[in-house]
């Protein structure tokens, strides 16, 4: 649910308020009402996927409840929607023994193996024949066991080894599709104890987002959504878990036969429906099958269709429907005899590693790529696969000529999962990542404790486009007009090969370029020139040093008033600054040590950029024209149009091309035309160049 700014319209308070209620009772009642309204809305949004309240209304109700709970902490209940992420990060998880073990499933890989399984259980129950079976998708996630006591979620435990798991209740509470309180009809007493089991998983889009973020941060990528979900469930900080949007499908409910107002379901089909009425998300793609043929066609149908789902599945699960029959069949020491997983063919194949090449990403991350003998894998020909990073490479201990196993899961790019060392040619050479960037030749760096190796040369062609765009961005050097397309075309045409080259550009350099008129070229040159006035912290941020975002840049600039001072500082001195840790210090150090970056600094210095703090910190510099809008018209006596514009902008003003009621000043020069007429018409303040210079003086 997107949290928006609250709207102003009051929300009518629903529910009757009896006159004889004390204020406390009234408030208590209101809190209960809010909890229930919010729970219903959240269920409609997350589980039913059918929102029934506008976000803004939800947010107002949520805030009202939050305010009440803050004022009267006694009102805070464990199932309150405000309590999904509450507690402090855990120190570690405690191991807990499952009341009933979580068995795993026997696998079958084709219809024949399925029929073998069927024949085996039928031998034990010869009178049954072809029993009704429920087929469900096998979600590729992590099994969880959830305990509800008197309707309230009290415990969430991972599968672990099936006998002992980890108590991750705090994290489970952040999963929106897991109810904190079981849904029951008004007046119904919830069953005293229920255990619900199901699969926690990460939707594919969330998985992609997480890995993209990790790539940008330089953290090791998760190999697949299941690992990412497992890693997330074991996060000590529930806030991080909440951000990762885990989801959950319930498939098992365990409760004593006599459970108050509820009778336990007697077959799997009813159990799934019951789970749904209790407020859980249950996978809709389930089916009741009367024969092995029906099971086979369900399996075939989903072999293709599963690739259109927003989450990964790795097979189908077939469960005999009747619980009575399930009980009679029981378990082997590992598996239930009444269920089987029909898996899809492994999307892993062996092939030969011919070579390893190295790619340099826009953030400088060096990714080794396996060059393979082409193989058919999950319907496509694969000849390259990612090896992720140096750590992964070291783990695999790759030798050229090795036989490797390549995997492709769903939408994910193929990867090398393991090597078969017994098949290694005797003279095979171990592969080592190069010590220098293959694009620019500068030494690469691998910060301690990190998986990713990087090129940190800001002028490396591979990372140039990313670094130029960052340099030009609003919070950095703020070069308006220098966007992604332009940056890329300048790099492609070798107009620039370093940030510093921007400051050597002339009109003659730009005019021959495609789609570059004189006006645009001038505008860009002006914007570039203007960036020379951006203060030192912005320049430092613009350099794009890893881990130095705008806040850290400001902190560093406060302690090191110039690039020279920062370049000369030793790592421990940098690390000692409040808010800067050893990791950042190391990254800064490595950046300044690189000769190519030293040259960049020297050239920027020569070009007149602010590589040192001015006597007045930027924040205190006066901006006399802040918020004022100017239009320039006619020829000014001394200032060129571009100069006047630059000076107005430096003083915080805006310069617009057209006159409107929002214009504060029209600066009028000789031969002013229609703009002056419009200014007359609107009664705007008109000033001369001399008056403009007067206004600028305070800056
Ligand atoms: S039933 C005894 N149903 O697959 C019953 N499991 O390989 C065992 N899984 O540990 C579980 N989707 O983590 C069941 N619809 C589904 C499932 C499912 C995924 C997982 C579960 C289990 C593993 C066995």
């Amino acid at each position: 649910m997107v949290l928006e700014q609250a709207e102003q319209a009051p929300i009518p308070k629903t529910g009757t308020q009896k006159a004889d209620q004390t204020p406390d009772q009234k408030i208590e009642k209101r809190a209960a009402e809010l909890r229930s309204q919010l729970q219903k809305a959240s269920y409609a949004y997350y589980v039913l996927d059918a929102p029934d309240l506008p976000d803004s209304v939800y947010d107002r109700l949520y805030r009202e409840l939050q305010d009440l709970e803050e004022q009267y902490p006694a009102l805070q209940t464990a199932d309150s929607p405000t309590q999904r992420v509450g507690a402090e990060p855990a120190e570690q998880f405690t191991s807990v023994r499952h009341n009933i073990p979580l068995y795993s499933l026997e696998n079958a890989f084709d219809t024949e193996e399925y029929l073998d399984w069927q024949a085996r259980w039928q031998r034990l129950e010869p009178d049954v024949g072809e029993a009704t079976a429920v087929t469900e998708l096998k979600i590729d996630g992590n099994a969880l066991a959830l305990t509800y006591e008197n309707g309230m979620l009290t415990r969430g435990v991972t599968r672990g080894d099936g006998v002992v798991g980890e108590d991750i209740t705090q994290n489970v509470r952040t999963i929106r599709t897991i109810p904190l309180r079981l849904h029951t009809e008004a007046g119904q007493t919830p069953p005293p104890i229920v255990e619900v089991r199901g699969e926690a998983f990460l939707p594919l889009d969330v998985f992609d987002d997480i890995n993209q973020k990790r790539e940008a941060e330089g953290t090791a990528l998760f190999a697949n959504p299941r690992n990412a979900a497992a890693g997330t469930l074991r996060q000590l900080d529930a806030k991080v878990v909440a951000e990762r949007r885990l989801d959950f499908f319930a498939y098992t409910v365990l409760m004593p036969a006599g459970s108050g107002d509820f009778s336990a379901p007697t077959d799997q089909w009813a159990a799934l429906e019951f789970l749904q009425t209790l407020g859980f998300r249950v996978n809709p793609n389930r089916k009741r099958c009367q024969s092995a043929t029906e099971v086979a066609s369900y399996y075939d149908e989903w072999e293709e269709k599963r690739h259109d789902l927003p989450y990964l599945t790795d097979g189908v699960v077939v469960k005999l429907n009747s619980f009575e029959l399930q009980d009679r069949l029981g378990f082997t020491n590992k598996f239930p005899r009444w269920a089987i997983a029909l898996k899809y063919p492994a999307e892993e194949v062996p092939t030969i590693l011919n070579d390893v090449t190295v790619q340099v990403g826009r953030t400088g991350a060096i990714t080794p790529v396996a060059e393979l003998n082409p193989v058919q894998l999950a319907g496509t020909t694969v000849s390259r696969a990612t090896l992720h990073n140096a750590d992964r490479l070291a783990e695999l201990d790759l030798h050229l000529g090795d036989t490797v196993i390549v995997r492709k899961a769903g939408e994910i790019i193929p990867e090398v999962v393991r090597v078969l060392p017994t098949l290694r040619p005797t003279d095979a050479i171990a592969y080592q990542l190069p010590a220098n960037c293959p694009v620019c030749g500068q030494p690469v760096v691998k910060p301690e404790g990190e998986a990713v190796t990087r090129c940190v040369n800001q002028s490396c062609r591979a990372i140039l486009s990313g670094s130029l765009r960052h340099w030009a961005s609003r919070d950095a050097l703020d070069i308006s007009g220098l966007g992604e397309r332009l940056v890329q075309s300048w790099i492609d045409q070798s107009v620039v090969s370093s940030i510093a080259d921007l400051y050597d550009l002339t009109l003659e350099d730009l005019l021959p370029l495609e789609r570059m008129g004189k006006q645009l070229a001038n505008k860009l040159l002006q914007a570039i020139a203007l960036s020379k006035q951006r203060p030192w912290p912005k320049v430092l941020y613009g350099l794009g040093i890893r881990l130095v975002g705008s806040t850290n840049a400001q902190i560093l600039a406060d302690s090191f008033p110039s690039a020279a001072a920062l370049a000369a500082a030793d790592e421990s001195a940098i690390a000692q600054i409040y808010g800067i840790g050893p990791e950042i210090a190391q990254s800064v150090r490595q950046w300044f040590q690189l000769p190519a970056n030293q040259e960049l600094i020297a050239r920027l210095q020569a070009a007149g950029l602010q590589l040192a703090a001015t006597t007045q910190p930027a924040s205190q510099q006066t901006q006399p024209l802040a918020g004022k809008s100017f239009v320039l018209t006619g020829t000014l006596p001394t200032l060129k149009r571009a100069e006047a514009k630059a000076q107005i902008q430096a003083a915080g003003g805006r310069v617009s091309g057209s006159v409107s009621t929002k214009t504060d000043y029209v600066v009028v020069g000789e031969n002013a035309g229609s703009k002056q007429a419009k200014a007359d018409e609107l009664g705007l303040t008109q000033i001369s160049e001399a008056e403009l210079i007067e206004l600028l003086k305070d800056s």
Side-chain angles (χ1 to χ4, degrees):
M1 198 160 299
V2 188
L3 291 180
E4 285 178 351
Q5 220 39 56
E7 279 172 4
Q8 290 317 304
I11 302 292
K13 299 201 164 79
T14 50
T16 49
Q17 287 164 15
K18 286 190 205 137
D20 61 355
Q21 274 178 330
T22 65
D24 273 356
Q25 272 175 326
K26 259 194 210 164
I27 289 164
E28 232 170 73
K29 183 160 182 206
R30 176 67 184 152
E33 187 173 64
L34 285 167
R35 278 198 302 270
S36 141
Q37 287 168 345
L38 288 165
Q39 270 155 7
K40 278 190 195 132
S42 178
Y43 173 73
Y45 187 94
Y46 288 105
V47 179
L48 302 181
D49 215 1
D52 61 356
L53 268 192
D55 288 354
S56 55
V57 176
Y58 181 94
D59 295 341
R60 293 215 31 182
L61 297 174
Y62 186 93
R63 238 164 277 171
E64 188 186 340
L65 180 59
Q66 234 177 359
D67 289 348
L68 283 181
E69 288 176 349
E70 200 170 303
Q71 224 180 327
Y72 307 96
L75 290 178
Q76 220 176 65
T77 59
D79 67 332
S80 168
T82 63
Q83 299 304 299
R84 284 215 178 252
V85 189
E88 290 293 301
E91 298 270 325
Q92 60 176 61
F93 300 116
T94 44
S95 293
V96 282
R97 179 170 283 271
H98 294 293
N99 291 329
I100 306 168
L102 273 81
Y103 285 85
S104 90
L105 292 170
E106 189 182 340
N107 290 329
F109 287 92
D110 51 37
T111 322
E112 216 170 297
E113 287 180 5
Y114 176 77
L115 291 171
D116 283 350
W117 167 78
Q118 189 178 49
R120 263 184 283 134
W121 73 254
Q122 282 176 339
R123 267 200 297 280
L124 295 171
E125 290 291 329
D127 302 334
V128 175
E130 288 222 272
T132 305
V134 174
T135 47
E136 298 167 25
L137 297 183
K138 187 169 188 301
I139 313 295
D140 197 7
N142 297 267
L144 294 182
L146 315 172
T147 307
Y148 288 83
E149 290 171 71
N150 300 316
M152 303 285 263
L153 173 69
T154 51
R155 209 174 76 166
V157 183
T158 60
R159 176 175 189 277
D161 61 5
V163 177
V164 174
E166 279 177 315
D167 186 332
I168 53 156
T169 311
Q170 272 188 38
N171 291 347
V172 165
R173 294 175 66 88
T174 68
I175 304 176
R176 300 290 177 154
T177 42
I178 293 181
L180 297 177
R181 171 203 281 272
L182 297 177
H183 295 194
T184 48
E185 298 289 318
Q188 255 180 345
T189 314
I193 188 135
V194 181
E195 185 172 314
V196 172
R197 293 174 175 183
E199 205 77 354
F201 63 96
L202 272 174
L204 286 167
D205 60 335
V206 181
F207 168 71
D208 287 341
D209 286 352
I210 293 174
N211 261 357
Q212 261 170 33
K213 215 165 128 202
R214 289 172 79 87
E215 176 153 33
E217 286 167 359
T219 342
L221 301 188
F222 285 119
N224 54 47
R226 181 166 26 81
N227 288 4
T232 303
L233 288 167
R234 300 192 72 261
Q235 261 284 330
L236 292 170
D237 188 349
K239 285 206 181 75
V240 177
V241 184
E243 281 165 15
R244 293 219 184 137
R245 294 188 285 134
L246 282 163
D247 208 334
F248 182 80
F249 281 125
Y251 47 69
T252 300
V253 55
L254 300 166
M255 61 194 257
S259 282
D261 295 338
F262 292 88
S263 46
T266 58
D267 63 39
Q268 176 63 8
W269 190 258
L272 294 175
E273 287 187 336
F274 181 54
L275 281 166
Q276 217 160 305
T277 63
L278 291 179
F280 290 91
R281 198 167 171 217
V282 176
N283 196 294
N285 308 308
R286 53 187 186 263
K287 199 174 172 231
R288 254 178 304 194
C289 294
Q290 310 301 343
S291 67
T293 325
E294 277 186 50
V295 169
S297 63
Y298 176 87
Y299 174 70
D300 290 345
E301 178 189 340
W302 282 100
E303 174 147 27
E304 281 308 314
K305 274 182 25 187
R306 72 198 178 108
H307 295 299
D308 301 331
L309 295 169
Y311 45 84
L312 287 187
T313 60
D314 57 346
V316 306
V317 181
V318 188
K319 301 170 186 172
L320 295 181
N321 190 31
S322 154
F323 285 171
E324 198 221 339
L325 179 57
Q326 288 189 8
D327 286 343
R328 287 209 305 268
L329 288 167
F331 295 80
T332 69
N333 55 4
K334 279 209 236 138
F335 310 123
R337 291 197 182 87
W338 42 264
I340 190 155
L342 245 175
K343 302 265 285 238
Y344 290 113
E347 303 195 311
E348 289 188 359
V349 289
T351 185
I352 305 287
L353 175 75
N354 294 323
D355 198 1
V356 178
T357 52
V358 168
Q359 283 180 346
V360 189
R362 271 194 293 111
T363 59
I366 305 258
T367 308
V369 177
E371 305 290 340
L372 309 162
N373 268 2
V375 275
Q376 280 296 113
L377 176 62
T380 56
T381 308
V382 170
S383 55
R384 309 182 79 205
T386 180
L387 292 160
H388 295 297
N389 52 49
D391 280 3
R392 187 81 192 102
L393 204 59
E395 254 170 53
L396 289 168
D397 181 31
L398 282 183
H399 287 55
L400 301 186
D402 264 343
T403 300
V404 294
I405 302 293
V406 191
R407 171 171 66 195
K408 195 166 150 194
E411 335 278 304
I412 305 154
I413 40 169
E415 57 174 350
V416 171
V417 281
R418 60 185 175 274
V419 180
L420 304 179
T422 48
L423 302 183
R424 177 170 294 157
T426 42
D427 53 352
I429 303 164
Y431 174 77
Q432 285 228 304
L433 210 57
N436 292 73
C437 169
V439 178
C440 70
Q442 292 281 319
V444 295
V445 299
K446 181 171 181 290
E448 227 170 274
E450 272 189 40
V452 177
T453 308
R454 290 173 190 282
C455 174
V456 293
N457 170 12
Q458 265 352 68
S459 305
C460 172
R461 270 184 69 87
I463 52 178
L464 192 58
S465 127
S467 47
L468 272 177
R469 272 189 285 135
H470 176 72
W471 179 260
S473 67
R474 184 159 314 156
D475 289 341
L477 279 290
D478 194 17
I479 305 178
S480 71
L482 190 56
E484 181 168 357
R485 286 244 301 273
L486 212 53
V487 162
Q488 201 51 55
S489 98
W490 286 5
I491 293 172
D492 293 345
Q493 299 177 70
S494 301
V495 176
V496 289
S497 56
S498 149
I499 289 170
D501 288 349
L502 288 176
Y503 298 93
D504 294 340
L505 288 178
T506 62
L507 206 54
E508 289 70 47
D509 292 329
L510 296 185
L511 284 180
L513 303 179
E514 236 177 81
R515 283 199 294 265
M516 181 65 70
K518 196 164 172 188
Q519 211 181 351
L520 177 59
N522 263 324
K523 222 171 109 189
L524 287 162
L525 290 174
Q526 269 167 31
I528 292 169
L530 199 64
S531 74
K532 295 182 189 176
Q533 294 173 12
R534 294 284 280 172
W536 160 230
K538 304 285 183 192
V539 177
L540 179 55
Y541 169 64
L543 292 174
I545 302 172
R546 207 175 59 83
L547 305 177
V548 181
S550 54
T551 309
N552 287 339
Q554 186 65 57
I555 296 172
L556 285 167
D558 286 345
S559 298
F560 298 98
S562 68
L566 187 55
D570 62 43
E571 203 171 310
S572 61
I574 303 173
Q576 267 160 23
I577 299 168
Y578 185 77
I580 302 288
E583 239 188 304
I584 301 170
Q586 191 193 31
S587 165
V588 171
R589 196 66 259 118
Q590 282 173 338
W591 194 92
F592 278 99
Q593 260 163 5
L594 212 70
N597 290 339
Q598 289 164 7
E599 189 198 318
L600 172 64
I601 293 288
R603 286 184 62 197
L604 292 175
Q605 183 97 51
L609 280 117
Q610 306 290 315
L611 289 165
T614 42
T615 34
Q616 262 182 332
S619 52
Q620 287 162 32
Q621 259 172 27
T622 47
Q623 295 246 300
L625 304 185
K628 298 289 180 213
S629 164
F630 288 75
V631 171
L632 303 170
T633 178
T635 315
L636 301 180
T638 64
L639 288 174
K640 285 201 191 117
R641 183 74 71 93
E643 286 167 344
K645 186 173 173 184
Q647 290 194 23
I648 292 169
Q649 286 173 336
R654 273 183 295 120
V655 179
S656 156
S658 58
V659 174
S660 77
T661 50
K662 294 200 182 105
T663 311
D664 294 299
Y665 297 99
V666 180
V667 185
V668 185
E670 230 178 286
N671 296 326
S674 62
K675 286 182 190 165
Q676 190 180 20
K678 181 97 187 271
D680 283 340
E681 193 185 309
L682 296 173
L684 301 173
T685 311
Q686 299 179 27
I687 59 171
S688 64
E689 182 193 275
E691 285 168 309
L692 171 66
I693 292 170
E694 230 14 74
L695 287 177
L696 287 164
K697 261 194 182 152
D698 302 329
S699 62

